[in-house]
Every structure is written in C-alpha cells, then in structure tokens.
Amino acid sequence: MEKIKVGVIGTGFIGPTHIEAMRRLGFVEVVGLAETSQEAAEKKAAELGIPKAYGDYREMLRDSEIQVVHNCTPNHLHFGINKEIILAGKHVVSEKPLAMSSKESAELLALAKEHKVVHGVNFNYRQFPIVKQLAEMIKNDELGKVNLVHGSYLQDWLLYDTDFNWRLAPEVGGKSRAIADIGSHWCDTVQYVTGKRIVEVFADLATVIPVRKKPKHNGATFGAEKAEDEIYEEVPINTEDYASVLVRFDDGSRGVFTVSQVSAGRKNRLSFEIDGSKHSASWNQEEPAQLWIGHRDKPNEVLQADPALFLPGAKSSIHHPGGHNEGWPDALKNMMLNFYTFIREGKDPLQDKANFATFEDGHISMAITDAVLESHEEQRWVKVQLNQKA
Ligand code: SOE
C-alpha cells in the first residue's frame, strides 16, 4: 500500500517531534519540510533525512505528491498558513492555538468543512493511555456524577528575567501567553475526559516578570543554555506568566485551574483532579502511567497503566505491557496514529467521529482564551462564545 505523503512547515521545538511520531507509524512518509529560507530548510532536511527542502512553504503546497501538511510555525502564522493549506486541498494538522482569535478559528473551521479536508489540532494530552482510561471510566459512571474539576499546568522555563522566547511577544505569540500555550491543553484535556464543555469563566491574570532581558540570540522553547558573555536588551512584557481561572461547565459543575510558566521545579506539570459523587481521580503528566483513585469508605488506589486492566475503549491507546511506561512522545504518536488511521480508512470528516482533536476543538479552545482575556479585563464572569461570525 502507498504511504501517505506529508510535508511539515516549521522545524523549531515541535516540528521534529511531529516528524518522529509520524515515522513510528510505518504507513506515513515525511517527504518534505519548509523553513524560512532555502538554506535553513536544506540544513534541517539533511539533519532529519527528509528528501525535499522548501525555502517557501507555498512551493510545498503546490507539490501534488504531498497530501497532508503540518503547521508547526509560531502562533501568528497559524491562521494564514492553515487557510492556505486548506485552499490547496491538503489535509491539515495544526499546532495550537489554531489562530489569533476565535473569529479566525471559526473561519478556519468553516473553510475546512467546505473543502472536506481532514483537520486536526495537536492537543496531545488527551491521547495519554491513562487519560483515555479515565475518560472511559467516567463514561461508565465509575466516578458517579462529576461535581468538581480542579488542577493546574505549571512550568519553569520562563522563571528568570533572562529567559526569552518568541512566545513572549504578543505580535508573534498572541495576546494571551500562558492561557493560550498551556491553559489550552488543560481545558482540552479536562473537557475530553469529562465529556463536558467549559461555558463560562472568571479569570485573574498576571505578568510576574514585567520586564525581561532579551538575549541578542533568541532562545529556544525550554532552552536553558546561555552564553556567559550574552548581551541583553531590556524589553517590557505584557503577556501573562500566570493565570487562575474559575470555570463553569455546561451541566452546572464547577472547576478551577492555575497556569504558570514561572514555577521553579515544575517542568511540564499538567495535572487535574476530578471529584465525582462516588469517587475521585487524579492524574499528573509528569508521572503519566499512574491514576490515583480516591475513595471515602476504603483505602485509596493507584492504577498503574496496563492494557490488561484497561476498559475496552482505552486499549487501543496503550501499546506496551504494564510497567513499560509510555509518556509524552507516545501520546503524540497516538495523536498521529488516530489522525492518519482516519485518512487511511477513507473516513469522512463531515460524518465520522474523529479520535483526535479537530479544528472544532481548536475553535472551542480559542473561544475559551478570548473569554478568559475578556473576563480578566472586565473583572467579571464571561460566557464562552462559539458562534463567532466568520
Ligand atoms: C511550551 O510551553 C510548550 O512547548 C507548549 O507550547 C506545548 O504545547 C506543551 O506541550 C509543552 O510546552
């Protein structure tokens, strides 16, 4: 069988992780990559062993061999490039946030439907085996009625005022930073697990470090190394390092979460706890193979990820026996596996249910970010508006 041919635009931190995940599938071939110059594209293509290098992504979009394009560029380019990918008739996987506003994401969703392309957004945390297992447990009413959802997403890679990255500048990263970058993952994951939508928010945001020292050589995401003789320029910062948000779900249940990129020692700690009327459950991305299950009338339990103990609906997301732990790269592989299996099986994006986050989820996420920003600005509860006119 012919392999599905893919092109990737952008090869910073996340592009190569997409490429590695796709290569693990076997039935997908990354045939091209695009960068901001021909020289950069050729260097990266040689490094990653990819045959075609494009200094202009538009040239890649004209390549009829390429069926699917991954948009792994910085945030401000997502909307425009996603639009061009769809108009070129290619299937699309976009990094989040899907666009810079929910008005733009509504337009992308409508366009993807009109052109009948398969559309995915890389919300990869819902693809962890234990997260799937918990979603199945909740569907089976094992926790009872979900009453409360609380948690946080904490990182420390922007803790020092000398930490700098393109995500800090609103014209490149967007008006929201911590919420759009990591709060979006928290919301997508808990909405997926509970099967509920966040419909209203009350937010408090803060820029803990209001002035940063920008190194002459721009830092990579999670980049820790700095030259000793680095030259810095002081830059005012107006995107949030921190946010706490009260949320209301569509069935009236309540929640709260905190995001921070300045919490020392927390590397990529997405965690949440769900309190049901019978039991609670709690998960933390940094210890991804364990699910804590809380009881009132007997000792608490820890479920260790194990296909033999999983519910039928979660088994396809776990690929190794118990104790052979799967983590972040494996969850990303699940995202790609589900996306490309959908294409391989010739499924219809207008009719068939996707086992991955689509542009619909990307649009929901953008609408939550918009509501959070408005709530913080106006210091009040704000409803999440999905019906933005494209
Ligand atoms: C940086 O905060 C980042 O790389 C996010 O952009 C990713 O989406 C998240 O998975 C890890 O952290």
Side-chain angles (χ1 to χ4, degrees):
M1 196 196 176
E2 272 278 297
K3 289 187 177 180
I4 302 168
K5 305 279 195 305
V6 182
V8 175
I9 309 175
T11 56
F13 161 65
I14 206 73
T17 69
H18 283 226
I19 294 169
E20 191 203 80
M22 283 184 273
R23 282 180 165 161
R24 291 171 65 191
L25 303 181
F27 61 96
V28 173
E29 190 181 351
V30 184
V31 294
L33 68 76
E35 256 304 337
T36 45
S37 72
Q38 191 59 34
E39 196 192 343
E42 279 171 19
K43 186 166 173 281
K44 239 349 201 224
E47 210 174 291
L48 297 170
I50 292 174
K52 301 184 190 183
Y54 301 90
D56 179 347
Y57 70 88
R58 290 192 174 99
E59 218 188 302
M60 174 194 273
L61 297 185
R62 286 192 290 271
D63 183 337
S64 58
E65 190 194 20
I66 292 177
Q67 299 157 268
V68 187
V69 176
H70 288 230
N71 185 356
C72 298
T73 60
N75 301 353
H76 68 308
L77 301 173
H78 290 174
F79 172 67
I81 294 182
N82 284 337
K83 207 167 156 177
E84 287 183 76
I85 298 171
I86 298 168
L87 291 174
K90 317 267 188 208
H91 305 303
V92 54
V93 175
S94 175
E95 264 306 320
K96 44 98 295 243
L98 204 48
M100 295 291 252
S101 70
S102 58
K103 191 164 176 287
E104 288 181 352
S105 55
E107 186 181 334
L108 286 177
L109 176 59
L111 202 67
K113 285 183 177 166
E114 185 189 328
H115 289 262
K116 301 186 180 62
V117 296
V118 181
H119 44 94
V121 61
N122 189 26
F123 282 128
N124 49 318
Y125 294 91
R126 56 159 83 186
Q127 301 287 352
F128 277 80
I130 281 272
V131 171
K132 289 255 171 196
Q133 165 70 6
L134 178 56
E136 290 300 304
M137 286 166 65
I138 290 175
K139 256 191 241 159
N140 284 358
D141 200 35
E142 290 187 24
L143 300 190
K145 178 184 171 299
V146 169
N147 291 322
L148 310 173
V149 183
H150 43 101
S152 58
Y153 193 160
L154 310 176
Q155 298 180 331
D156 72 359
W157 67 284
L158 292 171
L159 176 64
Y160 300 135
D161 66 354
T162 49
D163 293 323
F164 209 88
N165 178 262
W166 59 261
R167 286 182 168 79
L168 291 151
E171 50 301 352
V172 183
K175 280 192 293 236
S176 161
R177 184 186 356 127
I179 286 290
D181 191 41
I182 54 177
S184 58
H185 279 303
W186 192 90
C187 294
D188 181 73
T189 310
V190 304
Q191 290 181 114
Y192 171 77
V193 168
T194 59
K196 301 175 195 300
R197 274 214 25 247
I198 293 171
V199 291
E200 217 173 345
V201 299
F202 198 136
D204 181 40
L205 275 51
T207 306
V208 176
I209 303 177
V211 177
R212 285 184 184 257
K213 297 188 175 77
K214 183 179 180 197
K216 212 163 154 244
H217 304 101
N218 213 347
T221 305
F222 295 110
E225 280 151 44
K226 290 186 182 70
E228 266 181 22
D229 57 351
E230 189 64 81
I231 301 165
Y232 295 98
E233 148 197 13
E234 293 213 330
V235 178
I237 300 294
N238 41 24
T239 53
E240 78 282 2
D241 300 304
Y242 156 90
S244 283
V245 186
L246 294 172
V247 299
R248 289 178 180 151
F249 291 89
D250 50 3
D251 66 345
S253 54
R254 304 296 161 109
V256 58
F257 69 94
T258 293
V259 293
S260 154
Q261 293 171 318
V262 292
S263 295
R266 300 304 192 192
K267 305 300 168 188
N268 196 40
R269 195 177 196 278
L270 186 166
S271 66
F272 59 82
E273 188 159 321
I274 297 178
D275 300 336
S277 56
K278 299 184 203 162
H279 307 288
S280 304
S282 162
W283 181 74
N284 157 24
Q285 194 281 146
E286 290 182 342
E287 288 166 20
Q290 297 186 356
L291 182 71
W292 177 88
I293 304 169
H295 307 294
R296 176 162 135 167
D297 301 324
K298 60 178 184 176
N300 299 331
E301 296 169 285
V302 174
L303 169 66
Q304 183 77 24
D306 184 340
L309 301 176
F310 269 25
L311 290 162
K315 279 191 200 283
S316 65
S317 67
I318 184 163
H319 309 281
H320 300 283
H324 299 71
N325 294 341
E326 297 179 35
W328 196 93
D330 307 287
L332 185 62
K333 190 196 93 179
N334 278 342
M335 158 74 203
M336 302 308 164
L337 178 63
N338 292 334
F339 181 85
Y340 282 98
T341 303
F342 192 93
I343 294 179
R344 191 190 206 184
E345 291 178 350
K347 288 198 168 153
D348 177 353
L350 296 182
Q351 306 280 340
D352 296 315
K353 194 170 159 25
N355 196 6
F356 52 87
T358 65
F359 276 22
E360 191 131 23
D361 302 292
H363 173 54
I364 291 171
S365 172
M366 287 305 315
I368 294 173
T369 300
D370 280 359
V372 163
L373 290 174
E374 191 180 329
S375 164
H376 171 70
E377 219 165 275
E378 299 186 6
Q379 297 283 287
R380 63 174 177 86
W381 282 98
V382 171
K383 288 198 178 0
V384 175
Q385 304 278 359
L386 288 185
N387 50 353
Q388 294 283 355
K389 279 267 168 295

